[in-house]
Amino acid sequence: TIEGARFLDLCAGSGAMGFEALSRGAASVCFIDSSRDAVSCIKANARSLQVEGCCTILEGEWRFWIEKLEKKGELFDLIFADPPYGQLVERGIYMSEKIIRTVDTSPILAPGGLLFVEEDSACIHPLEGLSHLQLRDTRRFGRTAMQHYLSTQSEESV
């Protein structure tokens, strides 16, 4: 449920998903995007919607900010990631997979929290060796696929 949730919008673009989460009752949203233009757009949208007090807007590379937020002990109930489709970050590894594996090994997603990752459907494949994330569903919509993971991490390990 979104009501009262702490929401992280990774590769946020215009911030549409995060603002939608706020409109559905999320307590707060943290937006992360590496594009200065995207961050400016998110700031303008937050001002025009008068929700600046509920928003944290961070410019820069998502891995850097995940580490910083992790060190501060930040926890999110819902994470939505919409990285550039088909972008390789390492040999044979798409950014979407890197995000899933990073969240899997990080305490940033609260126990029982949900991770949603949007990607080009041609780039989606089952991932082996996840420790704390369980794939719940994959849906395809034409060229787009959405994967939904559940954090099985326990309260004690956070």
Side-chain angles (χ1 to χ4, degrees), residues 25 69 84 134 143:
L69 293 167
Q134 180 181 63
R143 194 179 145 226

Side-chain angles (χ1 to χ4, degrees), residues 1-139:
T1 177
I2 292 178
E3 191 69 36
R6 299 159 295 182
F7 191 95
L8 176 59
D9 194 347
L10 280 178
C11 307
S14 68
M17 290 304 288
F19 292 121
E20 181 66 24
L22 283 174
S23 78
R24 293 175 182 253
S28 63
V29 176
C30 180
F31 299 91
I32 299 175
D33 203 286
S34 60
S35 162
R36 178 170 285 142
D37 290 340
V39 167
S40 293
C41 178
I42 294 166
K43 287 178 180 176
N45 288 338
R47 262 190 314 276
S48 82
L49 295 168
Q50 301 178 337
V51 293
E52 294 159 295
C54 306
C55 299
T56 302
I57 303 167
L58 305 171
E59 180 182 341
E61 206 267 325
W62 65 268
R63 282 183 280 197
F64 168 81
W65 284 113
I66 293 287
E67 274 183 36
K68 294 284 263 191
L69 293 167
E70 197 177 288
K71 285 178 183 164
K72 286 175 61 178
E74 295 285 340
L75 274 178
F76 297 94
D77 304 299
L78 295 165
I79 299 175
F80 178 81
D82 186 8
Y85 283 14
Q87 184 171 7
L88 290 168
V89 291
E90 295 172 21
R91 186 180 186 139
I93 298 177
Y94 294 104
M95 187 183 294
S96 55
E97 178 179 345
K98 191 72 171 177
I99 288 170
I100 294 163
R101 292 195 183 281
T102 299
V103 171
D104 181 57
T105 58
S106 167
I108 200 148
L109 183 60
L114 301 173
L115 168 66
F116 295 89
V117 180
E118 187 174 317
E119 175 62 278
D120 182 316
S121 59
C123 302
I124 293 289
H125 59 277
L127 298 181
E128 303 281 325
L130 295 175
S131 303
H132 301 292
L133 290 177
Q134 180 181 63
L135 180 63
R136 299 304 295 254
D137 193 19
T138 300
R139 298 204 179 176

